[in-house]
Amino acid sequence: FNIGRLNAQETLRQKYGHLTIESTYDSAVFFAVETDAKRAFIESRINATKCHMMIANSNGVWGPEFDAIVASHPDVSFVSIAASELFNTEYPNRVFVTFDFFGAFNLAGIAAAAEAPPCIGAIVAFETERTSMDAANGFMTGVRAVNASIPIEVVTMNSFFTPGAEEQAAELLMDRGCTIIGRYTDPRF
């Protein structure tokens, strides 16, 4: 998370030097189950930075449980990427943007297959969760578009975050000859 976040932050700073660009990531808050911890973190960031926009890529950040924060900060835009099913027009400062998991992972699959590996692995969070299925299907469809005969090994985690098990899954896939491994989980690194 941090490498991509920091690269995006730097790119935005270079492009929009006249604006103050700051990004924050706190795994304890991101992976917190209780919304109270998330609310406290969001309020602290708004108060400390006097920001005008907050962007999150998690379905669990700008949902209805955060209505009070959204309502109390009408001068802040709250943007959620990947939460289109939560579309709500009650607050004009809350925006939901749909992310195309299939399309993004399809491109990743095309790039993976273009390397002509002997085997491609995929670690997927869930078999039945919509975004997991879209990501896995997109990845495999991209691989097949380039080479229909490359073996694809898939391991399902049944969780978005199981670091020890994800490491074991990656080792298993490498033992099976996979030299490229795609993933749709949420590791904390």
Side-chain angles (χ1 to χ4, degrees), residues 26-46 54 58-62 65-66 69:
D26 184 330
S27 63
V29 172
F30 185 82
F31 289 96
V33 176
E34 320 84 37
T35 56
D36 288 343
K38 290 180 183 178
R39 281 191 203 107
F41 177 78
I42 292 165
E43 285 287 355
S44 73
R45 297 311 306 152
I46 291 171
M54 295 193 83
S58 172
N59 293 354
V61 177
W62 305 138
E65 62 273 22
F66 296 97
I69 291 175

Side-chain angles (χ1 to χ4, degrees), residues 129-156:
E129 194 265 338
R130 181 182 55 88
T131 58
S132 291
M133 291 171 47
D134 286 350
N137 289 334
F139 185 75
M140 290 186 279
T141 302
V143 169
R144 293 289 179 243
V146 174
N147 186 332
S149 63
I150 294 176
I152 302 173
E153 298 277 342
V154 179
V155 177
T156 303

Side-chain angles (χ1 to χ4, degrees), residues 6-186:
L6 293 172
N7 285 337
Q9 176 179 287
E10 185 56 32
T11 300
L12 290 170
R13 281 183 177 158
Q14 288 174 12
K15 186 169 183 169
Y16 302 103
H18 63 288
L19 298 175
T20 301
I21 307 289
E22 178 186 329
S23 64
T24 303
Y25 171 76
D26 184 330
S27 63
V29 172
F30 185 82
F31 289 96
V33 176
E34 320 84 37
T35 56
D36 288 343
K38 290 180 183 178
R39 281 191 203 107
F41 177 78
I42 292 165
E43 285 287 355
S44 73
R45 297 311 306 152
I46 291 171
N47 294 330
T49 63
K50 307 297 182 209
C51 67
H52 298 285
M53 180 181 295
M54 295 193 83
I55 303 171
N57 68 341
S58 172
N59 293 354
V61 177
W62 305 138
E65 62 273 22
F66 296 97
D67 284 353
I69 291 175
V70 173
S72 66
H73 297 283
D75 56 330
V76 177
S77 295
F78 296 88
V79 181
S80 177
I81 299 170
S84 60
E85 65 275 7
L86 297 174
F87 183 76
N88 177 333
T89 59
E90 184 176 353
Y91 301 100
N93 59 325
R94 180 165 44 198
V95 178
F96 299 105
V97 179
T98 302
F99 179 76
D100 178 9
F101 288 96
F102 183 93
F105 282 87
N106 185 266
L107 293 174
I110 290 170
E115 295 294 316
C119 175
I120 293 178
I123 299 173
V124 182
F126 295 97
E127 287 182 12
T128 57
E129 194 265 338
R130 181 182 55 88
T131 58
S132 291
M133 291 171 47
D134 286 350
N137 289 334
F139 185 75
M140 290 186 279
T141 302
V143 169
R144 293 289 179 243
V146 174
N147 186 332
S149 63
I150 294 176
I152 302 173
E153 298 277 342
V154 179
V155 177
T156 303
M157 303 310 303
N158 293 315
S159 170
F160 276 112
F161 180 67
T162 50
E166 289 173 33
E167 185 177 344
Q168 291 174 349
E171 289 172 1
L172 171 72
L173 292 169
M174 288 185 287
D175 288 346
R176 291 183 178 173
C178 298
T179 57
I180 295 177
I181 301 172
R183 65 129 190 105
Y184 181 72
T185 57
D186 285 331

